[in-house]
Amino acid sequence: MVAGLTVAERQSAITVSALVALCGIAMAIGGRDDLLGVHGVIVLIAGLSCVFLVLAKYFEPEPSDERLTHYYDDPTKVGIVLALGWAVIGMFVGVWVAALLAWPDLTFDAAWASFGRLRPVHTSGVIFGFGGNALIATSFHVLQRTTRARLPDQFSPWFVLLGYNLFCVLAASGYLMGLTQSKEYAEPEWYADIWLVIVWVVYFLIYIRTLQRRKEPHIYVANWYYMAFILVVAVLHIVNNLAVPVSFGHAKSYSLFSGVQDAMTQWWYGHNAVAFFLTAGFLGMMYYYLPKRAGRPIYSYRLSIISFWGITFMYMWAGSHHLHYTALPQWVQTLGMTFSVVLLVPSWASAGNALATLNGAWHKVRDDATLRFMMVAAIFYGLVTFEGSFMAIRAVNSLSHYTDWTVGHVHVGALGWVAMITFGSFYALVPWMWKVERMYSPKLVEVHFWLALAGTIIYVFAMWNSGIIQGLMWRTYNDSGTLAYSFIDSVVPMHPYYIARAVGGLLFLIGAIVASYNVAMTIRMARVRTTAQGAEIDQPALPAAAPVLQPGE
Amino acid sequence: MAEFFHRRLERSAIGFVLAIIGVSAIGGFVEIAPLFTIQETVEEAPDMRVYTPLELAGRNIYIREGCYACHSQMIRTLRDEVERYGPYSLAVESKYDHPMLWGSKRTGPDLARIGGKYSDAWHVAHLINPRDVVPQSVMPKYGWLMRNDLRTGDLGRHLAAQRAVRVPYSDAMIANATADAYGQASPDSPYASGVSERYGEATNTRAFDGDPGRLTEMDAVVAYLQVLGRLTDAAHRQTAAAER
């Protein structure tokens, strides 16, 4: 890591890490009577560790100018490993909270282990820890390949990657201590939010600086999506998290907005976190790795354009469909529903584009589990966007909202689309990054594929069933015109489905563990071979690294 | 033509960035900006009162424990919900909720009208072990609420921060926040009279956890639960008017 930095970059690394450590000290002192102090200590430790990490290697020789002839992939490698680590943690906690609903006394009377505190650890762990690290890692890789330009410097990618992970650690540890602002998918408190803004601005600057240095005249499709992801997530994050802290010594803050306006802002954020974090970002991944792995150009350039601008424009309107029949003015609800239904068009444009790209490569899909991951991801993307548009319709939403159907729906997206495209991309990317011909075990990729698919299907069917049963029981009337069931009557039949969900989640978790093992062994295999041969091989020199795909194809 | 235009656009990084921001800004702006400006967004309810310091502390514990993950506080305008829970929720009822807790999942029932529905003792028993009062419940136990003393020293700062986001707390409310939290849970203490003076005669003042000697987190949570749906009568009045 450090050996790849120039002396000037090492100095800025030390300066920035020391500043972070100072912030940690300030937080620890200012918040000594509050849980903020605990986070101050964590920030301090993170900053100091980075200072020592750089200092330990400070006097090593600088990298030669030869480094400029190839891409900078070290942050991508570390990002992949971090993503897999978060996947295992996040999914493990997911299985745990699923089990808590079937066996509520698994909390052993400890506050940190109760459902309400573990649930956000699960959602943030998988969305931001696993998903976010995967997006950062792959975006650095894709950005360089599609622009044929090196990242602008070697320090800022590390700042983004490690700074982002510090945010994730603050989030997860905060939830366990009870620090949350209760906004779904935006639970971290004000100081973590401010830190994320700083990290994110640097991320955007890396992107734009690399694009300005590009040797390709056109900006490749995948980069449109990654850019929309970076830009819009920044806007959403800042507006939704506007809040007034109790004091600079308190972790607690109060949202600037209240009631109905807060609800609309929150769902505008929440729905578009799905759109721009969990969809646009991963579409960027898909638009690069799927054609690359299939060895075929993207089926249609025009469909890419339609899909991109359709998603960018229409998703922002759709958030209010989460608030049907509530105290939100009805005109906003109607707009949300309308745009959600139309949104099917750009969504299916991308799903169709991906599947049509595979036309002529179906034999590869049959033989190659990596490509199959990507294909199944595209299918699930099509399914989940159809389901989403359907569930946004008022009449359907009146039944599905507040039930497990919604949980099932988001997991069709999370397991079937987001995780599958990520694993597919990782299996393609890992051998390229570590310069080996293939993964350590293609057999284990195959095993992982079936575990993931089985886990997703069990999970989703369990939740569809329980959600619809729940929704129907709530609105069932008996002959005398009164409600047929009390609320608790509708809780009892959920039990077998909650167990089934835990089983489905467990299969998915085992798959992620298999993937981590496979990646670890691939890295080891690469190390062994590099030592044996005594030199790095097949480092793609820039002039030779002509992309297989030309932009716009 | 369109394709030609796009091929030009995708040659300019800054142009592309501006296009993304412009195109994505429209929808959110059209839907959110009017909510802050037009009068119909939130109804008038002159009898609406703010949370007492104790109730606000309870609300913060409710948030801390992630209760919103399983309980909504939004009764929709559907027949079965109104019959099950009570009059549907109005925007004004969460006017002072920073943030709102409308929720998105009902693993347990909606709580928007739970205030006054059960006794304090029921709530305490239910929070200590839900299965003691509802055998089929899947809710976790919250025994530590009874063991933890409530942190009250900084409640004035909390109220001041609430005022900064436009909740109308008076200077007197902020200055007496800690004493009011005590007074509300110990009705025989000299602090109790100030609570009804500042927050209205209808404010619940009693030992919510059954123990007037100690101010616990249980006191705060139960005080909060008992006031849900009771900060204003607007929802009840509106339904009555519709039925007439």
Side-chain angles (χ1 to χ4, degrees):
Chain A
M1 267 170 77
V2 181
L5 305 184
T6 63
V7 167
E9 285 165 343
R10 287 173 204 178
Q11 283 161 355
S12 33
I14 292 174
T15 315
V16 171
S17 307
L19 283 175
V20 171
L22 279 179
C23 287
I25 293 175
M27 283 166 68
I29 295 173
R32 63 193 175 282
D33 299 328
D34 193 84
L35 290 171
L36 181 70
V38 181
H39 269 169
V41 173
I42 293 180
V43 172
L44 174 64
I45 292 171
L48 282 184
S49 317
C50 288
V51 171
F52 286 124
L53 203 72
V54 181
L55 274 182
K57 301 275 176 79
Y58 186 80
F59 293 107
E60 290 207 352
E62 272 197 79
S64 70
D65 280 346
E66 185 265 344
R67 74 179 186 279
L68 300 174
T69 60
H70 50 80
Y71 300 127
Y72 191 50
D73 287 332
D74 291 357
T76 303
K77 291 183 184 174
V78 175
I80 292 170
V81 174
L82 286 170
L84 288 169
W86 280 107
V88 174
I89 297 171
M91 289 174 196
F92 169 74
V93 178
V95 175
W96 187 356
V97 293
L100 277 177
L101 283 179
W103 302 284
D105 285 329
L106 286 177
T107 53
F108 31 87
D109 202 27
W112 65 269
S114 74
F115 182 89
R117 295 201 190 181
L118 287 176
R119 189 212 51 100
V121 177
H122 164 60
T123 42
S124 288
V126 289
I127 296 174
F128 299 115
F130 171 50
N133 275 302
L135 286 170
I136 292 174
T138 57
S139 68
F140 286 158
H141 173 254
V142 171
L143 176 65
Q144 298 183 83
R145 282 6 181 235
T146 53
T147 58
R148 287 199 291 143
R150 199 169 197 268
L151 293 178
D153 67 306
Q154 298 158 123
F155 167 61
S156 58
W158 290 114
F159 177 76
V160 170
L161 188 70
L162 299 178
Y164 181 78
N165 278 280
L166 175 60
F167 165 79
C168 293
V169 168
L170 289 180
S173 59
Y175 304 148
L176 294 177
M177 298 188 288
L179 294 177
T180 169
Q181 56 179 10
S182 83
K183 296 190 152 200
E184 278 177 80
Y185 312 121
E187 284 104 335
E189 274 293 356
W190 58 277
Y191 50 93
D193 289 337
I194 293 173
W195 173 242
L196 184 62
V197 172
I198 298 169
V199 169
W200 215 251
V201 167
V202 177
Y203 189 19
F204 171 70
L205 288 177
I206 293 177
Y207 233 84
I208 201 80
R209 282 159 75 203
T210 311
L211 283 176
Q212 299 293 30
R213 295 149 47 95
R214 71 187 184 278
K215 299 195 180 62
E216 286 290 335
H218 291 274
I219 303 170
Y220 182 70
V221 183
N223 286 323
W224 311 348
Y225 284 97
Y226 279 123
M227 272 211 298
F229 148 65
I230 296 170
L231 285 168
V232 183
V233 166
V235 174
L236 296 168
H237 172 77
I238 292 170
V239 175
N240 186 45
N241 285 307
L242 292 173
V244 174
V246 170
S247 80
F248 288 113
H250 279 80
K252 174 81 188 163
S253 67
Y254 290 105
S255 169
L256 193 59
F257 312 124
S258 72
V260 62
Q261 288 117 344
D262 189 51
M264 182 61 220
T265 312
Q266 155 61 27
W267 280 117
W268 166 80
Y269 165 89
H271 192 75
N272 289 304
V274 175
F276 289 91
F277 203 98
L278 299 169
T279 304
F282 291 88
L283 279 173
M285 223 183 256
M286 185 190 83
Y287 270 106
Y288 183 80
Y289 293 103
L290 184 134
K292 197 84 179 166
R293 184 77 181 189
R296 302 185 55 84
I298 293 173
Y299 169 71
S300 165
Y301 167 69
R302 284 184 193 180
L303 272 181
S304 313
I305 296 179
I306 291 172
S307 169
F308 178 74
W309 291 108
I311 284 175
T312 306
F313 176 67
M314 274 187 272
Y315 249 113
M316 297 300 258
W317 296 78
S320 53
H321 78 234
H322 288 261
L323 299 167
H324 280 322
Y325 302 99
T326 66
L328 181 75
Q330 187 159 356
W331 63 270
V332 198
Q333 301 178 22
T334 310
L335 275 177
M337 175 175 87
T338 313
F339 278 92
S340 304
V341 173
V342 184
L343 197 50
L344 185 62
V345 176
S347 304
W348 274 27
S350 263
N353 210 359
L355 293 176
T357 301
L358 293 172
N359 223 353
W362 291 116
H363 59 287
K364 289 190 189 167
V365 177
R366 187 191 59 202
D367 301 333
D368 178 6
T370 302
L371 195 55
R372 221 179 308 134
F373 261 114
M374 301 183 196
M375 180 205 69
V376 169
I379 292 175
F380 271 113
Y381 178 58
L383 281 176
V384 77
T385 48
F386 172 77
E387 193 189 21
S389 295
F390 182 66
M391 288 171 78
I393 298 169
R394 276 175 80 81
V396 182
N397 192 273
S398 74
L399 178 86
S400 72
H401 194 53
Y402 294 131
T403 72
D404 284 331
W405 188 354
T406 306
V407 180
H409 169 65
V410 298
H411 281 82
V412 178
L415 304 176
W417 157 239
V418 171
M420 295 254 198
I421 192 71
T422 305
F423 285 127
S425 303
F426 276 7
Y427 284 131
L429 181 56
V430 164
W432 296 339
M433 285 292 91
W434 275 275
K435 321 271 181 255
V436 287
E437 268 132 51
R438 55 172 178 79
M439 290 297 296
Y440 164 72
S441 164
K443 252 247 148 62
L444 284 179
V445 179
E446 190 80 30
V447 169
H448 180 197
F449 174 79
W450 291 111
L451 280 170
L453 188 62
T456 307
I457 289 173
I458 292 173
Y459 189 106
V460 168
F461 272 90
M463 290 295 96
W464 278 341
N465 272 304
S466 68
I468 291 170
I469 291 174
Q470 214 172 14
L472 289 176
M473 284 180 84
W474 290 345
R475 56 165 61 174
T476 301
Y477 283 84
N478 55 30
D479 292 340
S480 53
T482 56
L483 290 165
Y485 302 103
S486 70
F487 189 92
I488 198 70
D489 288 338
S490 74
V491 173
V492 176
M494 302 299 104
H495 188 68
Y497 298 109
Y498 285 155
I499 295 174
R501 160 163 78 178
V503 170
L506 183 66
L507 291 183
F508 209 90
L509 167 67
I510 295 171
I513 294 171
V514 169
S516 306
Y517 172 76
N518 207 351
V519 169
M521 292 308 283
T522 309
I523 297 172
R524 225 184 92 171
M525 192 168 88
R527 289 232 175 103
V528 170
R529 212 185 55 173
T530 316
T531 346
Q533 298 186 343
E536 291 237 331
I537 49 149
D538 106 73
Q539 181 66 268
L542 264 193
V548 176
L549 287 167
Q550 292 301 323
E553 270 183 357
Chain B
M1 179 58 210
E3 193 171 318
F4 175 73
F5 171 75
H6 201 272
R7 281 191 188 277
R8 280 187 39 169
L9 180 65
E10 69 193 50
R11 292 173 76 107
S12 155
I14 298 294
F16 214 90
V17 165
L18 294 177
I20 289 173
I21 294 177
V23 168
S24 65
I26 301 166
F29 189 78
V30 170
E31 291 189 351
I32 294 177
L35 294 180
F36 288 91
T37 55
I38 57 176
Q39 296 296 314
E40 298 94 82
T41 307
V42 183
E43 308 85 350
E44 292 287 326
D47 64 334
M48 179 74 184
R49 78 157 168 91
V50 295
Y51 293 110
T52 66
L54 186 66
E55 290 155 7
L56 185 68
R59 187 171 198 270
N60 289 340
I61 294 168
Y62 180 96
I63 289 173
R64 181 187 80 189
E65 301 302 344
C67 306
Y68 59 87
C70 296
H71 295 281
S72 58
Q73 291 184 18
M74 172 49 59
I75 301 161
R76 295 180 295 175
T77 55
L78 299 166
R79 181 185 160 198
D80 59 297
E81 298 203 4
V82 171
E83 287 184 14
R84 173 165 285 121
Y85 300 115
Y88 57 80
S89 302
L90 301 180
V92 68
E93 293 179 85
S94 45
K95 184 175 157 187
Y96 299 138
D97 286 1
H98 295 263
M100 58 88 204
L101 294 173
W102 292 9
S104 62
K105 179 72 178 42
R106 283 179 188 156
T107 306
D110 188 276
L111 300 183
R113 305 247 171 270
I114 201 82
K117 208 167 173 179
Y118 300 95
S119 67
D120 294 342
W122 186 92
H123 279 297
V124 171
H126 182 246
L127 285 163
I128 290 174
N129 183 11
R131 279 156 292 286
D132 283 349
V133 283
V134 184
Q136 309 93 325
S137 171
V138 295
M139 190 172 119
K141 299 173 181 174
Y142 291 94
W144 58 88
L145 297 180
M146 200 71 190
R147 297 195 293 268
N148 293 356
D149 287 330
L150 184 69
R151 183 180 170 187
T152 53
D154 56 359
L155 278 172
R157 280 172 177 272
H158 280 262
L159 263 54
Q162 287 261 305
R163 185 156 77 178
V165 293
R166 295 185 304 274
V167 181
Y169 282 110
S170 67
D171 289 338
M173 288 170 170
I174 293 173
N176 293 295
T178 303
D180 284 351
Y182 265 102
Q184 195 179 352
S186 24
D188 300 330
S189 75
Y191 304 117
S193 59
V195 180
S196 43
E197 206 175 287
R198 277 180 280 277
Y199 296 90
E201 286 302 323
T203 311
N204 302 319
T205 43
R206 53 184 188 251
F208 295 93
D209 67 354
D211 177 3
R214 270 179 78 217
L215 187 58
T216 60
E217 293 189 339
M218 185 66 88
D219 277 311
V221 172
V222 175
Y224 171 64
L225 292 172
Q226 292 291 25
V227 84
L228 284 177
R230 313 201 68 150
L231 292 175
T232 168
D233 277 337
H236 295 268
R237 266 179 285 139
Q238 179 148 329
T239 320
E243 276 167 7
R244 253 184 280 123

